[in-house]
Amino acid sequence: LFVYNVNEVNLKRNVKVNAQNKSVAEVLNKVFEGTDIYYAMEGKNIMLMSKAKDGEVAQQANKVTGIVKDANGEPIIGANVIVKGQSTGTITDIDGRFVLDTPKDAVLQITYIGYVSQEVKVSGKKELNVVLKEDTETLEEVVVVGYGVQKKANLTGAVSSVKMDEILGDRPVTSVSNVLMGAMPGLQVTGTSGQPGAEMSFNIRGVNSINEGAPLVLVDNVEMDINMLDPNDIESISVLKDAASSAIYGARAAFGVILVTTKKGMKDTRFSINYSNNFSFSKPSNLPHKATPLQTVQAYKDMGTVSYQTGQNVDTWLELLKEYNTNSSNYPDGYAVVDGLRYSLQETDLLNDMMETGFQQTHNISVGGGNKSISYRMSAGRVNQNGILVTDKDSYKRYNISSYIRSDIHSWITPELDIKYANSHSELPYTSASYGIWGAAVAFPSYFPLGNMELDGEILPINTPHNFINLSAPKENDRNDLRIFGKLTITPFKDLKIIGEYTFNR
């Protein structure tokens, strides 16, 4: 291990040394030959220093050795020891020891993962003993694990836990699924639809389980659709990843459990009001690009096609397309009529024609407070999401109301009541065409005309996805979720709690 001051040692200097069966000292002599760098060996450490000039450096230098241990007296391997305000530093060896050349009035910073960082004044000392204390903040954090809670320090199973406020931030999300995507290691959240309000699937340990690989989702220990919750009403989420969770919840938990804990009222807190909102716009970032009309018709010819489905001659069509690409002004309408047959020449984009910029807004307001004998929290949220298809027929609206109250009637009995209500309304444009809106957008060629067409003196809309959406009736889906959760905790004497819970879920 080399210890040095980056301001004294030129790290860009290239040296070539040929040595065989030579000592480390002999090699180092060759490496630093002709420079003002000398070295000193202390155990497994090699210190590089610049030769003192006029005795100044020699007077200021102070070689410090030390040992870093934990509270149990065990040496800490790999702890960082840095001179505060400088780039000089080292790490402790297998015995927890370090050697460092520092000014006599230096301050050393000692850090290690899982321990509280510590600063030590050298004050001319030659030897230091440092004891690092464990960082108990993370170890004392409580994690929901089954029917109770447990400290992180006592966990042995595979559990991930996350605070919703930490990952939610100001992200423009409408559902809990969106929030959890990429937020927890081992939890895979996937979606196959861009539909507003579309639900996503969760996967933790694979797909071959009795409930098709979906983990068991519990909200305050009771099953509930997680997407009907307002993310702002969630306190924390724990994921039980290993199969041991089946011992608590049975076979349905063999592929993991997602435990959601909602926010409750806080004791001894002043009355508070919180309001948050979010506005966002959405637009497709990448759309497929089809072959050009010339490429498409050339493909027909290469396949041996002579006459197109509606009678157009492929050779004639190719000539018209080449002429159109050379001088499109000869065909201002984007098509040509030959022998009574219409030849489409202009390139169109059916996907872009059926889309627009979507708009989304979310609002949430909550009030809460409490004293020694009672605590409460009430909230209301609204989500309004318009999708990227033209018109507002692809939309999603959701309203959430949540109310919680807890009262310590006596020191030995505590009732709780939690009421949650969610109402959602989603719409999608529906067409009776066999290929559907998206099927038409993908399958129809790039010369397919847009807008309307005159037929027998009547203006009729062309069967484009855009017109399918405009003329369609929205397919609607309404959901109402009501959940009333009651809990009674009786503590007849210390260390014994009798808990009764009842949930009405409609």
Side-chain angles (χ1 to χ4, degrees):
L1 178 67
F2 285 85
V3 182
Y4 54 87
N5 188 328
V6 293
N7 296 320
E8 297 177 352
V9 181
N10 181 11
L11 300 180
K12 296 182 179 180
R13 175 172 168 262
N14 292 321
V15 183
K16 184 176 181 181
V17 176
N18 292 318
Q20 186 174 3
N21 296 326
K22 300 292 184 182
S23 67
V24 174
E26 290 176 293
V27 175
L28 290 176
N29 287 334
K30 287 288 186 181
V31 170
F32 297 108
E33 191 176 26
T35 70
D36 63 348
I37 301 298
Y38 69 101
Y39 63 89
M41 294 186 182
E42 291 287 341
K44 297 180 180 179
N45 296 330
I46 300 174
M47 290 170 291
L48 305 180
M49 292 158 285
S50 178
K51 294 177 182 178
K53 296 179 180 179
D54 299 330
E56 294 179 3
V57 178
Q59 292 176 5
Q60 295 178 1
N62 182 51
K63 188 183 298 182
V64 177
T65 62
I67 184 170
V68 181
K69 297 181 179 180
D70 61 16
N72 298 320
E74 296 294 327
I76 297 178
I77 305 169
N80 293 306
V81 183
I82 303 173
V83 179
K84 188 175 181 180
Q86 298 184 17
S87 57
T88 307
T90 184
I91 62 174
T92 56
D93 61 18
I94 194 170
D95 297 318
R97 296 186 177 277
F98 68 90
V99 179
L100 194 60
D101 197 34
T102 70
K104 294 182 179 181
D105 59 347
V107 176
L108 300 184
Q109 290 179 321
I110 297 97
T111 58
Y112 191 68
I113 297 173
Y115 290 82
V116 179
S117 62
Q118 189 172 336
E119 293 187 359
V120 179
K121 292 182 178 180
V122 175
S123 301
K125 297 177 183 177
K126 298 293 183 180
E127 197 167 319
L128 297 174
N129 289 309
V130 182
V131 178
L132 294 184
K133 296 180 180 179
E134 288 187 358
D135 188 353
T136 57
E137 289 186 5
T138 56
L139 296 176
E140 291 295 322
E141 185 177 339
V142 171
V143 180
V144 179
V145 286
Y147 291 121
V149 297
Q150 198 171 34
K151 291 183 180 179
K152 270 190 176 181
N154 300 330
L155 289 179
T156 57
V159 180
S160 289
S161 180
V162 66
K163 300 291 184 183
M164 182 57 68
D165 291 341
E166 294 176 0
I167 60 173
L168 182 58
D170 56 357
R171 295 165 61 188
V173 293
T174 58
S175 68
V176 182
S177 300
N178 296 128
V179 181
L180 293 180
M181 183 175 289
M184 302 183 75
L187 177 62
Q188 182 181 359
V189 183
T190 55
T192 58
S193 171
Q195 174 186 342
E199 296 183 359
M200 299 185 181
S201 62
F202 297 98
N203 192 280
I204 297 174
R205 304 186 67 242
V207 296
N208 297 320
S209 72
I210 60 174
N211 50 328
E212 299 179 353
L216 180 63
V217 180
L218 301 176
V219 178
D220 293 329
N221 279 337
V222 181
E223 274 194 270
M224 181 180 176
D225 182 2
I226 195 173
N227 291 298
M228 293 303 289
L229 286 173
D230 188 326
N232 293 281
D233 290 336
I234 294 178
E235 176 70 28
S236 65
I237 294 180
S238 294
V239 177
L240 312 185
K241 303 177 187 178
D242 53 22
S245 53
S246 300
I248 304 175
Y249 297 108
R252 291 191 59 198
F255 276 72
V257 183
I258 298 176
L259 301 175
V260 180
T261 303
T262 58
K263 291 180 179 178
K264 307 292 192 298
M266 300 294 292
K267 282 187 176 184
D268 300 324
T269 57
R270 298 175 60 184
F271 175 79
S272 62
I273 300 177
N274 291 295
Y275 170 74
S276 63
N277 61 45
N278 195 297
F279 303 92
S280 64
F281 298 89
S282 58
K283 198 172 184 179
S285 58
N286 190 18
L287 292 174
H289 186 71
K290 299 179 182 179
T292 65
L294 183 62
Q295 291 170 332
T296 304
V297 177
Q298 183 64 52
Y300 294 148
K301 180 176 175 61
D302 294 342
M303 289 189 297
T305 304
V306 176
S307 179
Y308 188 60
Q309 297 172 357
T310 49
Q312 290 89 341
N313 182 273
V314 170
D315 289 327
T316 302
W317 201 349
L318 277 175
E319 293 302 319
L320 289 170
L321 283 169
K322 291 176 182 177
E323 185 179 347
Y324 177 80
N325 290 342
T326 302
N327 191 0
S328 59
S329 60
N330 293 338
Y331 304 94
D333 296 326
Y335 66 89
V337 178
V338 178
D339 297 332
L341 296 174
R342 176 186 171 115
Y343 291 82
S344 296
L345 307 176
Q346 185 179 14
E347 183 174 2
T348 58
D349 190 343
L350 294 174
L351 284 167
N352 190 61
D353 182 56
M354 63 183 277
M355 294 185 184
E356 61 183 7
T357 300
F359 177 69
Q360 170 186 309
Q361 57 177 316
T362 61
H363 302 267
N364 180 270
I365 185 170
S366 64
V367 297
N371 51 40
K372 292 182 178 180
S373 59
I374 191 170
S375 59
Y376 60 91
R377 183 182 186 272
M378 292 173 284
S379 70
R382 179 193 175 203
V383 173
N384 192 339
Q385 183 181 10
N386 287 324
I388 57 174
L389 299 181
V390 292
T391 75
D392 58 353
K393 294 175 184 177
D394 62 324
S395 63
Y396 176 74
K397 297 180 178 67
R398 190 185 72 230
Y399 300 91
N400 294 85
I401 298 175
S402 177
S403 176
Y404 171 85
I405 187 169
R406 166 185 169 144
S407 176
D408 293 329
I409 299 176
H410 296 288
S411 59
W412 55 275
I413 183 170
T414 304
E416 299 175 60
L417 180 64
D418 187 6
I419 301 175
K420 287 182 170 56
Y421 173 73
N423 174 278
S424 68
H425 176 84
S426 60
E427 294 184 2
L428 269 184
Y430 174 77
T431 177
S432 59
S434 59
Y435 30 72
I437 296 171
W438 287 98
V442 173
F444 288 4
S446 58
Y447 51 75
F448 200 89
L450 305 177
N452 303 318
M453 182 182 294
E454 183 177 353
L455 183 64
D456 298 330
E458 186 178 359
I459 303 297
L460 298 174
I462 302 172
N463 287 338
T464 62
H466 181 107
N467 290 334
F468 283 152
I469 296 172
N470 275 328
L471 300 174
S472 68
K475 184 178 180 180
E476 300 178 330
N477 182 29
D478 290 292
R479 288 187 59 182
N480 285 283
D481 282 19
L482 172 65
R483 197 179 96 151
I484 302 174
F485 174 77
K487 182 177 180 180
L488 183 66
T489 304
I490 300 174
T491 310
F493 51 85
K494 187 179 179 181
D495 297 330
L496 175 63
K497 287 186 178 182
I498 303 171
I499 300 175
E501 294 181 356
Y502 177 78
T503 302
F504 173 79
N505 202 354
R506 182 180 183 275

